[in-house]
Structure formats: C-alpha cells, structure tokens
Amino acid sequence: MTTLDDINTMRDGRDIDGLIRALGDPDEFVRTEAALSLGTIADPKAKEPLDRMRKEDPSTSAREAAATAYKWLVGRIQEVEATREPRTPPTG
C-alpha cells in the first residue's frame, strides 16, 4: 500500500510510472493525490491512465480529481504543441 508521503516523493522525483501504479491503490486518498500529481507534472504518458480513472474509479472524489488532472495534462500538452507549430510570418 502506498502512503501520501510516497506520493509526494514520487511527485518530487517525477516518478511517472510509480504515480500511475498508485492510481490503482486501494486507498482513494492515495489515488486522488497520485492523479493530481500526474496532472501537475503533465507527462503525456499519464493521459490514458487518467482518462480511464476519471471514467471508472469507484470513488466520486477520485474520479473528480482524475478529471481535473486530465484537464491540466491535456491543456499543458496543447500549450506545448502550440509552441511547436510553425508560425506563419505576418503579411504586409
């Protein structure tokens, strides 16, 4: 069983795989914190697990946290992709 201290350590160490595993922890508070941590880090690897969690987790609060984290992650991915798109020089 993962503790909230473990989640903090994984978040600080950017342990994406560990945080994704914690999404399946029996403790809903651990799952909630893992989801929010993944949303904060916004690694694309977490997109599918967060999407699944926001739809399937048995806890309403954990689903809501996963939905929030998913929005953060998708928003960050969109920001990064927007900076990579070639820009058209202004005409005129």
Side-chain angles (χ1 to χ4, degrees), residues 1-50:
M1 188 165 184
T2 307
T3 67
L4 294 177
D5 286 338
D6 294 335
I7 296 299
N8 291 334
T9 299
M10 286 187 265
R11 182 188 59 241
D12 294 345
R14 300 182 61 86
D15 179 1
I16 305 304
D17 293 330
L19 289 167
I20 289 171
R21 280 191 302 276
L23 296 179
D25 195 89
D27 185 326
E28 74 179 90
F29 297 109
V30 167
R31 294 194 310 273
T32 296
E33 287 304 311
L36 294 173
S37 294
L38 287 165
T40 300
I41 296 170
D43 187 298
K45 189 176 190 179
K47 185 177 179 184
E48 190 277 326
L50 285 173

Side-chain angles (χ1 to χ4, degrees), residues 41-67:
I41 296 170
D43 187 298
K45 189 176 190 179
K47 185 177 179 184
E48 190 277 326
L50 285 173
D51 187 35
R52 185 173 53 248
M53 182 180 174
R54 73 187 179 123
K55 295 174 183 174
E56 299 175 4
D57 196 277
S59 163
T60 301
S61 61
R63 282 194 312 273
E64 290 171 356

Side-chain angles (χ1 to χ4, degrees), residues 58-86:
S59 163
T60 301
S61 61
R63 282 194 312 273
E64 290 171 356
T68 297
Y70 182 83
K71 285 188 239 178
W72 293 344
L73 185 145
V74 169
R76 182 66 184 132
I77 290 171
Q78 290 172 345
E79 287 175 8
V80 169
E81 288 174 356
T83 63
R84 291 184 183 159
E85 292 177 10

